[in-house]
Amino acid sequence: MNRIDYLFQTKKERILSIYVTAGFPNLEDTLPMMEAIQAAGADIIEIGLPYSDPIADGPTIQESNTIALENGMSIKKLFSQLLGFRAKIHLPVVLMGYLNPIIQYGVENFCKKCKELGIDGLILPDLPMSHYLEEYKELFERYGLFNIFLISPQTSEKRIREVDEHSNGFIYMVSSHAITGAKAEISPEQEQYFERVAAMNLSNPRLIGFGISDAATFQLASRYSQGAIIGSAFIKSIKNSNDSNADINAFIQGVIG
Amino acid sequence: MMIQVDEKGFYGNFGGAYIPEMLYPNVEELRENWEAIVASPTYQEEFQSLLKDFVGRPTPLYFAARLSESFGAKIYLKREDLCHTGAHKVNNTVGQIILAKKLGKKRIIAETGAGQHGVATATVCALMGMDCTIYMGELDIKRQRPNVERMRILGAKVVPAISGSKTLKDATNEAMRAWIADPVGTHYIIGSVVGPHPYPEMVARFQSVISEEIKWQLKAKEGRENPDLVIACVGGGSNAAGAFYHYYNESKVRLIAVEAAGHGIHSGKSAATSVLGTPGILHGSKTLLMQTEDGQVVEPHSISAGLDYPGIGPVHAHLHEIGRAEFVGVEDEDAMKAGILLSRTEGIIPAIETAHAIHALNQIEFNANDLIVINLSGRGDKDLETYIHWGNY
Ligand SMILES: Cc1ncc(COP(=O)(O)O)c(C=O)c1O
């Protein structure tokens, strides 16, 4: 069974997924970060594949992408860092990135490598449903990779149902009209949207992301879904850290309490 | 070999709409509605009237006698430089602003490199009383001060793109992010035949007035609609798409697409995407783009900010792949010389983008007395600083 499905079957609420950019803040930080995130009590690890033009990301993640690229991060490098990581990491691991670097790596090789290493799913914001279904679904399925779809407050009910039909693992609910890292308060309109989607009785669980940053927003997101995804706030907390293990632990414990 | 976009937005292997789900409703709204709106009589009435009285169309098709003599061919210049605001860009912004209004949008955003598209957008926003925000790379803001001030005089807000390389591609990223943040009230006026479907075809359609006019103007002057060659410069490729549009399927007409070769195609400082690019995804479409082996987008170089883009529109990638257009790379220095040549032989100081197209005459073969149309995409006022800095005249 895919580790993501196993997680959602065994834990029904307050699931926390933490996003960290590969090779950030230093090139060799990827695996130590993952270990620290797991040790601190998160449920899913999302590893960002840095890209020169991340159009769905706000300033914090953009900057972490730039730094990671300057550090020399690439898909090849990441795969070499991840060799054997399953000896240490049992949490589900999802790669989040943009399509172009994956196309250049070779999509089939990429999928194959993900399977060999023990990656569970992919979040590719610039791979919309129609292109996924036509060009990629078969490959992803052949290598056991879950494709995680995004929905936003603008997504129509009809399309949410379509997304639900084609999703596996979970649905990534973008919390607002926003790129990652947008401001941390949650408005009444956003709550209405959370409520509306919660009431749809979708077959897939949902995690809420973008703008989730602390215990309060995590708590709120968890009221309407199975949990949340934190990226920018986490990146900020490790950016200038002198003791990342301690800071990661403090951040994640601070969120899940 | 018909050159046509299919319903999914592909020209052969290139195109599509690789966009985040957050942009799907906006792009879908546009895709579903644009053709019907543009075809409607009320739209056409307003569009045609603005093209005529505001933009100044039809632009002349001018026989360049002295230039013809020096190259031994019959050379006509399609005078897009005489459009209001000084370049072809305004054909597209007029087309899109009426569309935005009909879609009920209140606010316009756009990206700009040199500032030409930004000025053309700010101009039509002023005309329509719409709120206007232009994203421009921080570096370009410094390099293109006069255009920044033109936009501000016209009432637009100019927002610096401070990420990445701080130039056109980053400004485009910022505009896309801004669109994600206000999907309901905002229309994004993309400035070239790039971006997700339906933008490349929509922008090409608005620019196709160029070749539509060339056809009847040439008929009146030469008794034939088709020249032997059409030459245009390619940044994203909108003026070229407009000049080629009604000739795509006239296989006897040679289409010459002129790219910026910077310091030399293989110098590492160039924007010759057709040679250096490989298939990839940029700003929502699959196309040829300049990138590293790892798929990171490479920062191009050209002396002309309007050609300084790491990709080309998907239609051009397709024309290149099937060999329908011939691609030529013109270096910075040669483009500058051609700018001076046109100034001195015809009394027209061209935009430096356009000067690349002029110089292509030296790099391609043609027969004596061939009928050649060069799309004179813009005038050189905006480039005075660059001419002065270059100084070799
Ligand atoms: C005069 C002129 N020509 C050409 C271009 C390049 O754009 P495109 O390739 O879309 O025509 C620009 C862009 O700023 C321009 O100002």
Side-chain angles (χ1 to χ4, degrees):
Chain A
M1 180 188 285
N2 187 299
R3 290 176 195 87
I4 300 172
D5 277 349
Y6 183 75
L7 170 69
F8 282 97
Q9 280 178 21
T10 48
K11 187 168 176 181
K12 302 285 181 196
E13 54 176 23
R14 294 174 54 78
I15 289 175
L16 177 63
S17 176
I18 292 286
Y19 167 97
V20 63
T21 305
F24 176 84
N26 301 298
L27 183 61
E28 299 300 338
D29 284 342
T30 317
L31 197 54
M33 288 282 167
M34 294 167 72
E35 290 184 65
I37 291 167
Q38 174 171 281
D43 302 296
I44 302 176
I45 303 169
E46 239 181 74
I47 304 174
L49 307 172
Y51 184 46
S52 55
D53 297 79
I55 57 169
D57 286 300
T60 305
I61 293 181
Q62 283 171 42
E63 193 197 8
S64 72
N65 276 228
T66 306
I67 292 170
L69 290 174
E70 279 165 4
N71 290 343
M73 185 42 72
S74 66
I75 292 176
K76 276 189 209 128
K77 179 71 196 171
L78 175 64
F79 284 165
S80 76
Q81 291 178 339
L82 290 182
L83 208 63
F85 84 97
R86 278 297 170 201
K88 290 176 173 159
I89 305 289
H90 60 265
L91 294 188
V93 173
V94 173
L95 300 186
M96 172 159 186
Y98 293 81
L99 207 44
N100 196 54
I102 296 172
I103 291 177
Q104 302 317 315
Y105 186 91
V107 181
E108 174 141 24
N109 277 339
F110 179 84
C111 293
K112 206 161 141 192
K113 197 75 195 174
C114 283
K115 184 184 161 87
E116 279 168 24
L117 290 168
I119 301 295
D120 304 290
L122 303 173
I123 302 175
L124 306 172
D126 59 348
L127 176 58
M129 188 161 50
S130 58
H131 286 302
Y132 165 72
L133 294 176
E134 278 162 36
E135 303 170 50
Y136 296 97
K137 182 174 193 280
E138 201 196 327
L139 263 183
F140 288 12
E141 284 178 352
R142 195 183 314 153
Y143 293 100
L145 290 169
F146 281 6
N147 182 58
I148 315 292
F149 287 101
L150 276 59
I151 62 171
S152 85
Q154 278 311 106
T155 310
S156 68
E157 177 165 345
K158 176 165 169 276
R159 190 160 166 92
I160 294 175
R161 297 252 175 241
E162 264 178 89
V163 164
D164 193 37
E165 184 191 327
H166 296 295
S167 285
N168 28 39
F170 63 94
I171 293 173
Y172 191 139
M173 275 181 74
V174 175
S175 69
S176 64
H177 305 307
I179 49 181
T180 55
K183 76 169 180 309
E185 288 152 40
I186 303 238
S187 69
E189 292 79 41
Q190 281 171 282
E191 280 200 60
Q192 276 168 25
Y193 151 67
F194 298 162
E195 230 168 278
R196 171 166 65 81
V197 178
M200 284 178 72
N201 284 318
L202 300 177
S203 56
N204 287 281
R206 304 167 316 281
L207 296 182
I208 296 178
F210 288 36
I212 308 301
S213 60
D214 54 14
T217 43
F218 178 63
Q219 189 71 29
L220 189 85
S222 296
R223 209 182 309 145
Y224 298 103
S225 71
Q226 282 72 14
I229 301 161
I230 299 184
S232 297
F234 179 76
I235 295 279
K236 273 184 201 152
S237 81
I238 57 170
K239 190 178 156 193
N240 298 313
S241 173
N242 293 321
D243 182 352
S244 56
N245 278 342
D247 288 341
I248 289 172
N249 192 58
F251 180 88
I252 291 176
Q253 282 302 314
V255 170
I256 56 185
Chain B
M1 174 172 61
M2 291 288 283
I3 308 297
Q4 222 171 23
V5 71
D6 70 21
E7 79 212 44
K8 288 170 189 142
F10 279 86
Y11 303 89
N13 294 316
F14 301 105
Y18 297 85
I19 43 163
E21 183 63 31
M22 296 82 91
L23 282 179
Y24 177 82
N26 316 34
V27 171
E28 195 60 9
E29 177 186 33
L30 205 56
R31 190 186 66 78
E32 280 177 354
N33 295 299
W34 81 273
E35 280 184 296
I37 293 176
V38 167
S40 72
T42 55
Y43 180 97
Q44 277 302 320
E45 194 183 326
E46 188 172 2
F47 183 50
Q48 297 306 336
S49 140
L50 284 176
L51 284 186
K52 178 165 176 285
D53 297 328
F54 188 70
V55 175
R57 304 205 72 89
T59 58
L61 183 68
Y62 165 72
F63 177 62
R66 297 187 64 217
L67 194 68
S68 295
E69 200 180 318
S70 58
F71 282 98
K74 227 177 198 184
I75 302 172
Y76 280 88
L77 303 176
K78 180 58 174 163
R79 299 292 307 274
E80 293 302 299
D81 60 315
L82 295 177
C83 289
H84 179 42
T85 70
H88 67 290
K89 295 281 178 190
V90 73
N91 300 325
N92 170 45
T93 60
V94 166
Q96 287 201 45
I97 197 94
I98 306 172
L99 183 62
K101 218 172 53 169
K102 303 250 182 228
L103 287 169
K105 305 293 177 180
K106 301 278 181 275
R107 180 167 167 265
I108 298 294
I109 54 173
E111 85 294 341
T112 197
Q116 279 312 101
H117 174 59
V119 167
T121 302
T123 298
V124 296
C125 287
L127 178 71
M128 297 293 181
M130 300 248 254
D131 189 77
C132 179
T133 305
I134 306 291
Y135 294 87
M136 187 168 185
E138 196 177 45
L139 264 184
D140 289 334
I141 287 182
K142 291 198 185 112
R143 293 194 289 198
Q144 309 285 337
R145 198 85 218 166
N147 270 346
V148 174
E149 297 312 321
R150 283 167 88 193
M151 290 184 262
R152 289 193 176 133
I153 288 169
L154 290 159
K157 187 167 152 216
V158 181
V159 177
I162 55 170
S163 60
S165 52
K166 305 179 173 61
T167 59
L168 177 56
K169 83 173 171 68
D170 310 284
T172 309
N173 295 339
E174 279 315 317
M176 290 196 162
R177 291 177 187 126
W179 206 19
I180 289 173
D182 181 14
V184 183
T186 296
H187 175 71
Y188 176 17
I189 301 190
I190 294 185
S192 192
V193 288
V194 302
H197 178 59
Y199 277 102
E201 184 60 19
M202 186 173 76
V203 175
R205 194 82 72 79
F206 291 136
Q207 294 293 358
S208 70
V209 64
I210 298 171
S211 48
E212 191 184 309
E213 288 174 5
I214 295 173
K215 278 202 151 182
W216 62 256
Q217 289 171 320
L218 213 50
K219 178 88 182 163
K221 287 175 196 283
E222 294 286 336
R224 54 189 269 203
E225 287 190 335
N226 295 353
D228 297 302
L229 292 87
V230 182
I231 305 178
C233 65
V234 174
S238 67
N239 88 87
F244 296 169
Y245 199 89
H246 292 284
Y247 296 117
Y248 282 154
N249 301 316
E250 303 279 357
S251 58
K252 290 215 174 72
V253 180
R254 288 170 62 193
L255 307 177
I256 314 291
V258 185
E259 294 181 313
H263 295 185
I265 288 183
H266 299 289
S267 64
K269 298 204 88 179
S270 152
T273 308
S274 72
V275 183
L276 303 171
T278 50
I281 288 168
L282 180 66
H283 297 142
S285 58
K286 191 176 274 179
T287 189
L288 290 174
L289 75 117
M290 291 167 56
Q291 54 185 324
T292 66
E293 206 189 314
D294 293 326
Q296 308 296 340
V297 182
V298 163
E299 194 50 30
H301 163 84
S302 167
I303 194 164
S304 76
L307 304 184
D308 205 351
Y309 185 69
I312 48 176
V315 70
H316 295 294
H318 179 56
L319 293 172
H320 178 261
E321 185 172 76
I322 63 173
R324 174 64 188 97
E326 301 161 50
F327 282 71
V328 179
V330 170
E331 297 183 12
D332 287 352
E333 188 68 15
D334 289 334
M336 296 308 294
K337 285 182 191 153
I340 302 303
L341 173 78
L342 190 73
S343 303
R344 305 239 166 126
T345 53
E346 298 294 342
I348 299 169
I349 305 176
I352 294 167
E353 290 81 5
T354 316
H356 287 73
I358 306 293
H359 192 269
L361 289 168
N362 296 296
Q363 296 180 224
I364 55 172
E365 311 228 332
F366 49 84
N367 298 317
N369 296 322
D370 265 358
L371 188 54
I372 301 177
V373 175
I374 302 176
N375 195 33
L376 211 76
S377 59
R379 58 181 178 243
D381 307 27
K382 71 179 176 66
D383 295 319
L384 264 193
E385 215 32 68
T386 312
Y387 277 112
I388 294 166
H389 187 73
W390 180 68
N392 217 341
Y393 49 84

